[in-house]
């Protein structure tokens, strides 16, 4: 079964850090580009970043640039999202998704179930 599972979410205080993981099963992760998304309650889904087969990163969300970093560990079949200097407005559900090719372009075919992040004092 082709599947992505997000983990690492939780409750953190403003200014704290959190590392989310997107672990793949049923396929080899390094054959695909992976993107991170987030969605706050009552708001539209936002694309955060993408990492391609050559480990090149593409950051799309201005509000998190310089604070969030995407990376991958092919030995663990996992893509990470390191989140630093967290703000309350970063709260929401975070998702990873698989693209149909190694580049950060084209359609997505598989999504994880999401992991919740809450930034609050």
């Amino acid at each position: 079964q082709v599947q992505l599972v997000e983990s690492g979410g939780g409750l953190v205080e403003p200014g704290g850090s959190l590392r989310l993981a997107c672990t793949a099963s049923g396929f080899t992760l390094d054959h695909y580009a992976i993107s991170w998304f987030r969605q706050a309650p009552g708001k539209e889904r936002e694309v955060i970043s993408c990492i391609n087969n050559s480990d090149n990163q593409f950051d799309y969300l201005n509000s998190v640039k310089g604070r969030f970093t995407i990376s991958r560990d092919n030995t663990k079949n996992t893509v990470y999202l390191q989140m630093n200097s967290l703000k309350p407005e970063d709260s929401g559900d975070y998702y990873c998704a698989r693209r149909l090719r190694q580049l950060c372009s084209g359609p997505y075919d598989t999504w994880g179930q999401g992991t919740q992040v809450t930034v609050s004092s």
Side-chain angles (χ1 to χ4, degrees):
Q1 181 181 357
V2 174
Q3 191 174 31
L4 294 172
V5 178
E6 300 94 336
S7 62
L11 174 64
V12 297
E13 294 188 5
S17 297
L18 206 61
R19 188 176 74 164
L20 306 182
C22 173
T23 300
S25 61
F27 68 98
T28 301
L29 189 61
D30 65 355
H31 292 173
Y32 298 89
I34 302 293
S35 292
W36 279 100
F37 297 81
R38 73 179 186 184
Q39 186 169 22
K43 297 183 179 179
E44 295 185 356
R45 187 179 63 209
E46 301 174 302
V47 58
I48 300 170
S49 59
C50 178
I51 186 166
N52 67 14
N53 184 252
S54 298
D55 291 334
N56 293 319
Q57 299 180 59
F58 300 87
D59 301 318
Y60 306 109
L61 192 59
N62 288 333
S63 61
V64 304
K65 286 183 178 179
R67 299 189 296 117
F68 289 13
T69 303
I70 191 171
S71 63
R72 70 195 308 154
D73 185 345
N74 292 332
T75 65
K76 298 180 179 179
N77 220 28
T78 299
V79 169
Y80 299 97
L81 184 67
Q82 179 66 45
M83 306 187 297
N84 299 324
S85 301
L86 284 164
K87 305 174 181 179
E89 52 264 43
D90 294 321
S91 298
D93 293 330
Y94 284 71
Y95 303 86
C96 61
R98 186 184 79 171
R99 282 188 149 106
L100 291 177
R101 58 182 300 180
Q102 295 90 346
L103 301 179
C104 288
S105 63
Y108 301 93
D109 72 339
T110 305
W111 290 76
Q113 85 289 344
T115 185
Q116 289 187 347
V117 172
T118 303
V119 185
S120 179
S121 298

